[in-house]
């Protein structure tokens, strides 16, 4: 099941590349809408003024609790390791 087939209780971990090259990890049950919120300055404080954004990837679906745990683990990775870590989550989902 991909994001297009997701149910409202399905959560995804996503990774964005900001204009300055930094990476931002988050969770959402509607990744395209969440990216739009970031683009419009209504996302996380960290992303304000750092757009436009490129979606590096996403993984899921997960329960909300699992998505939060995976997001926390992803944020602990080095910038270099984050994309590979996310790829591993996608294989797990």
């Amino acid at each position: 099941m991909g994001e297009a087939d997701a149910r409202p209780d399905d959560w995804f971990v996503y990774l964005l590349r900001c204009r300055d090259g930094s990476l931002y990890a988050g969770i959402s049950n509607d990744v395209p809408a969440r990216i739009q919120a970031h683009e419009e300055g209504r996302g996380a404080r960290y992303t304000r003024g750092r757009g436009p954004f490129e979606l590096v990837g996403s993984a899921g679906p997960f329960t909300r609790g699992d998505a939060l745990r995976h997001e926390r683990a992803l944020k602990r990775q080095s910038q270099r390791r984050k994309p590979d870590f996310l790829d591993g989550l996608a294989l797990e989902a």
Side-chain angles (χ1 to χ4, degrees), residues 14 16 30-40 53-55:
Y14 64 92
L16 297 179
D30 186 346
V31 174
R34 185 65 176 151
I35 293 170
Q36 186 64 37
H38 287 299
E39 292 284 359
E40 294 171 358
F53 303 99
E54 172 192 348
L55 179 64

Side-chain angles (χ1 to χ4, degrees), residues 3 9 16 22-23 25 28 38 42 47 50 53 64 66 70 72 74 84:
E3 287 178 44
D9 56 339
L16 297 179
S22 63
L23 295 172
S28 178
H38 287 299
R42 297 181 294 112
T47 60
R50 292 181 191 260
F53 303 99
R64 186 171 189 270
D66 284 344
H70 292 316
R72 189 175 320 116
L74 178 59
D84 291 336

Side-chain angles (χ1 to χ4, degrees), residues 2-82:
E3 287 178 44
D5 304 320
R7 299 180 313 249
D9 56 339
D10 288 338
W11 288 80
F12 295 84
V13 180
Y14 64 92
L15 190 62
L16 297 179
R17 184 172 313 282
C18 302
R19 179 184 64 229
D20 63 6
S22 63
L23 295 172
Y24 173 79
I27 68 166
S28 178
N29 58 355
D30 186 346
V31 174
R34 185 65 176 151
I35 293 170
Q36 186 64 37
H38 287 299
E39 292 284 359
E40 294 171 358
R42 297 181 294 112
R45 182 180 300 155
Y46 180 84
T47 60
R48 291 184 193 147
R50 292 181 191 260
F53 303 99
E54 172 192 348
L55 179 64
V56 174
S58 64
F62 301 110
T63 64
R64 186 171 189 270
D66 284 344
L68 286 167
R69 280 187 283 285
H70 292 316
E71 176 195 27
R72 189 175 320 116
L74 178 59
K75 286 183 174 186
R76 281 190 239 132
Q77 303 299 312
S78 68
Q79 290 282 93
R80 191 177 71 247
R81 289 241 334 109
K82 285 180 182 184

